[in-house]
Amino acid sequence: MDSTRLKPISQFGEKVKETKRKLLSFLLAAKAEGKTIVGYGAPAKGNTLLNYCGIGTDFIDYTVDLNPHKQGLYLPGTHIPILNPDKIKETKPDYVLILPWNLKEEIIEQMTFIGEWGGQFVVPIPEVKIYQSTAQKLMLIA
């Protein structure tokens, strides 16, 4: 295979590694500041990301999912518990990591209430972005 065809594959691999480093850097910094982080959703793609990055309950306290058939179970590999979304109102985390990132707008709209205590959303893909939620608007802050 000629090198011009391999270059995009190599570039993709580097982009994946960079995404992993940025997500881990964010999580390490947040935890060092004593912040709490939970997940939203239990999709296969989110679980693949968490397993690839080595992210478990040392970073994410739990994840939530609307599907009652997933609640009470654990994400494969990471053993992060899957709970009812009401748990977020109870624990008031600093950050909610959106695992089905392709549904971020819908999830942020459903969970705007986290802005009441200063909670923020983290979208890991295509690169780590933090969104502040307020009742009036959604604002990208990092």
Side-chain angles (χ1 to χ4, degrees), residues 33-106:
E33 293 172 8
K35 303 294 185 184
T36 54
I37 306 164
V38 303
Y40 186 100
K45 71 171 127 213
N47 195 51
T48 299
L49 174 70
L50 296 176
N51 277 291
Y52 171 70
C53 294
I55 297 167
T57 54
D58 49 342
F59 289 109
I60 310 262
D61 298 335
Y62 61 86
T63 192
V64 300
D65 200 281
L66 287 172
N67 184 340
H69 300 292
K70 291 183 179 182
Q71 296 168 11
L73 301 176
Y74 296 84
L75 292 178
T78 63
H79 299 42
I80 296 171
I82 306 167
L83 307 174
N84 184 291
D86 292 339
K87 188 72 172 175
I88 289 177
K89 289 180 182 176
E90 182 185 319
T91 63
K92 297 179 173 45
D94 297 299
Y95 295 104
V96 175
L97 177 65
I98 298 176
L99 296 172
W101 49 84
N102 59 311
L103 302 175
K104 71 178 182 264
E105 290 87 2
E106 176 184 332

